[in-house]
Amino acid sequence: MACTTILVGKKASYDGSTMIARNDDSSAGSFTPKKWVVVTPDRQPRKYTSVLSHVEIDLPEEPLRYTAVPNAVKGVGIWAAAGVNAANIAMSATETITSNDRVLGADPLVKYIPAELAPDGKEQIGGIGEEDLVVLVLPYIRSAREGVERLGKLLETYGTYEMNGIAFQDQNEIWWLESIGGHHWMARRVPDNCYVIMPNQLGIDRFDFTDAFGARKNFMCAPDLLEFVKKNHLDLAMESSESNFDARAAFGSHSDFDHSYNTPRAWALQRYLNPTDSRWDGPDADFTPVSDNIPWCRVPEKKITVEDVKWVLSNHYQGTPYDPYGKYGDLSHRGQYRPIGINRTSFVACLQLRPYVPAEIAAVEWLAFASNAFNTFVPFYANVNRTPAYLADTTGEVDSNNFYWASRLIGALADGDYSKCIPHIEHYQTAVMSQGHELLNRFDGEIGRTLDKEDRNASAAKQVKTVVTRLEDANEVIASMLQKETQTALANVLHTASCDMKNAFGRSDA
């Protein structure tokens, strides 16, 4: 899947939270209906079978409860995509990334081959991939580091049929793992005062093997990765350094496709978050949309908010000549580069782990469905056993009574007349996000005070059940607000589109 990811360290965020967020985009020419659900331990499989690769994996006992954003229509697997578990550990999987021929030749991808196509007539089982990863990892980890370690072992054991980048998060750390070929991997900790932008290509630039094979403070990797590099002549540095290894040059790509599809997105978002630290435009620019050396991580010029996360993941090159909705600049540049906010986005999730509230209410998922240029973020508590029907009951057929399809309809209508519909969209986004913050503040206070006064003689199970019920009730209030505002926005853009049709036909009753 073609996606864009942003990772925000705790000292780079506005409130000390760690935040990981990703657009989940469907393949070109298709849509993938999504829903937001909770997977309780009794619903987690003990033997997992991949639909796409047919690999079977025995899973540990006693999984944790976790949230997920799976496909709403059965057929090609779960694709759980993003979630938070009961230990307040979050995961986003995955960002499809790139590699190069040397890596893929040295460690080929583990692809499924049906019996009728196999040379020996026997089915060849494939590795694990985006379809599988959240289900295989998130219910069994209690820190971001544990997520890296568990997924690393799975990649080494079963292999993968695709290149992927995966984010793991707890309240203190964010780790980013990138697969390398069929069985290898590397991971780097996001510095606390930095953010990371990942646009569908292998991104880690500097890697420290000394740390990875020593303290593992900021780097981890497959146990034979350095040997793999040396054996296959992957180090392209003129002066080799194991503590300052150029991983992007060794394992990644810098193709013409990257320069139209991937690097422009990193350029646009760092241009927004660091507008004065570098020159981004003109003949003397430090970085351009086709630069291969845009840093993997960077200290922002100001702390990053949830609203910033939503804006960057909705970006379509506003303020540049490349904006497909723009009405300025050289027309030949319009739509030249792949935007981030596109009409085939399935959902975006920003997973926020807050350090200043009780653990029971620390995890918040900001969710939006369909095209980010026209949808809105809304916050929900993650420590629940059920999610509101407005987000959980997505159907395969178009139905404006659920959030996914209402959002998809708004995007389809607004895209056709951007300039006239965008005032309605901005009003909708402000209405939902401001009320979302207001309701979070209200419920944080109410539930937080209750937790402080909880009868400590009550059983732990009763206390947990009580808090979970309150959080589920709070989510229902938020969903009710969301549905009301979404229906209003849909009516407004539908009215605008209808008026345009009347004008086009030159009659008032068209």
Side-chain angles (χ1 to χ4, degrees), residues 415-436:
D415 182 73
D417 198 340
Y418 180 86
S419 61
K420 291 184 179 178
C421 287
I422 199 63
H424 298 308
I425 299 301
E426 291 183 353
H427 177 81
Y428 168 52
Q429 292 168 339
T430 297
V432 172
M433 293 188 71
S434 60
Q435 290 180 77

Side-chain angles (χ1 to χ4, degrees), residues 212-451:
F213 293 122
R216 301 203 308 169
K217 182 178 180 181
N218 296 303
F219 299 86
M220 289 189 276
C221 66
D224 65 338
L225 186 60
L226 183 56
E227 178 185 351
F228 175 72
V229 168
K230 293 178 178 178
K231 178 181 178 181
N232 295 286
H233 315 288
L234 297 176
D235 187 355
L236 302 184
M238 296 301 291
E239 296 183 8
S240 298
S241 170
E242 291 185 6
S243 62
N244 192 26
F245 176 71
D246 189 345
R248 188 182 295 176
F251 305 130
S253 62
H254 52 274
S255 66
D256 292 338
F257 180 75
D258 283 323
H259 296 157
S260 64
Y261 199 81
N262 296 326
T263 56
R265 285 181 274 161
W267 170 83
L269 299 198
Q270 290 200 15
R271 180 179 182 268
Y272 172 74
L273 294 170
N274 291 83
T276 64
D277 284 353
S278 301
R279 291 188 298 272
W280 301 99
D281 302 286
D284 298 323
D286 299 309
F287 302 102
T288 74
V290 298
S291 294
D292 293 316
N293 62 336
I294 296 173
W296 176 73
C297 64
R298 195 160 194 160
V299 178
E301 291 186 26
K302 62 178 180 64
K303 292 186 176 182
I304 296 172
T305 66
V306 171
E307 287 73 23
D308 289 324
V309 170
K310 177 62 171 68
W311 191 92
V312 299
L313 293 181
S314 307
N315 181 272
H316 46 85
Y317 301 109
Q318 299 96 307
T320 78
Y322 314 117
D323 184 357
Y325 299 113
K327 297 183 181 298
Y328 47 82
D330 187 340
L331 296 180
S332 66
H333 292 309
R334 204 169 297 166
Q336 181 174 341
Y337 300 124
R338 190 267 206 206
I340 295 167
I342 57 175
N343 60 6
R344 53 188 170 86
T345 296
S346 300
F347 80 94
V348 58
C350 176
L351 311 177
Q352 182 182 19
L353 300 180
R354 305 176 300 164
Y356 47 85
V357 293
E360 293 90 338
I361 60 176
V364 171
E365 296 190 46
W366 293 81
L367 294 167
F369 289 144
S371 174
N372 278 358
F374 307 109
N375 63 16
T376 185
F377 253 170
V378 61
F380 292 101
Y381 292 102
N383 184 25
V384 293
N385 289 324
R386 62 175 174 81
T387 56
Y390 190 51
L391 291 91
D393 292 348
T394 305
T395 58
E397 296 76 34
V398 178
D399 184 351
S400 64
N401 289 314
N402 62 61
F403 186 42
Y404 174 85
W405 283 114
S407 300
R408 180 67 69 202
L409 290 169
I410 290 171
L413 291 165
D415 182 73
D417 198 340
Y418 180 86
S419 61
K420 291 184 179 178
C421 287
I422 199 63
H424 298 308
I425 299 301
E426 291 183 353
H427 177 81
Y428 168 52
Q429 292 168 339
T430 297
V432 172
M433 293 188 71
S434 60
Q435 290 180 77
H437 281 294
E438 179 184 357
L439 289 169
L440 275 186
N441 290 335
R442 170 185 150 192
F443 291 122
D444 279 354
E446 292 177 358
I447 299 172
R449 285 191 295 271
T450 301
L451 286 168

